[in-house]
Amino acid sequence: MARRYDPDRRTRIIDAALTVIAADGIAGLSHRTVAAEADVPLGSTTYHFASLDELLVAALRRCNENFVQALRSSGLFAEEGDAGPGEGDAGQGAEGAGLAEELTRLLDRWFAGERGAIELEYELYLAALRRPALRPVAAEWTAEAVALLSRRTDPETARALVALMDGVCLQVLLTGGTFDAAYTRVMLERIVAGGDD
């Protein structure tokens, strides 16, 4: 029997893994459940991903792309060569208010979408606590987000902004609450201003 050419099979397997995790959590993930969801032979999943950790790494990497892509496409971060303010500026004044406003807008838009997608991203992100293979991918997301934010502020402030956004997202998800844009904007502005408020 001739092998069927299927260049998108690996992508379909990753998409299927995300679907399985969204429905049943990481505990429901197996090569068999992913193969069934992707409608591919079981051997295809093990061919492309020898272990479940390899599949989880690919799934987390795909999820990481979502929010970082939103940052990249934002008006504040879109220009690749734009250096942003220098050390000591830390995005003060109107620039800082614009940074806090834009980050709040992005989070608000993210929470206005499908909540299941956010839960999926954080389930994979937090899985790195128990699965060391995922830790470098989780760190990649943080590093890339910090690098993007560092175009508009210093790296230390960028790290603090990422930490606050992560904390806000986790609190909303874990408590079942709603995203409070006004509060988040004020907290982001305080970090950008150096905590003087």
Side-chain angles (χ1 to χ4, degrees), residues 117-141:
I118 301 168
E119 291 171 355
L120 170 65
E121 290 182 35
Y122 270 91
E123 181 170 359
L124 285 165
Y125 185 62
L126 293 173
L129 291 171
R130 300 273 184 204
R131 293 180 179 260
L134 296 177
R135 290 179 187 157
V137 182
E140 285 171 16
W141 178 87

Side-chain angles (χ1 to χ4, degrees), residues 18-33:
L18 291 170
T19 300
V20 169
I21 296 167
D24 302 322
I26 290 175
L29 187 73
S30 70
H31 283 289
R32 191 170 304 284
T33 58

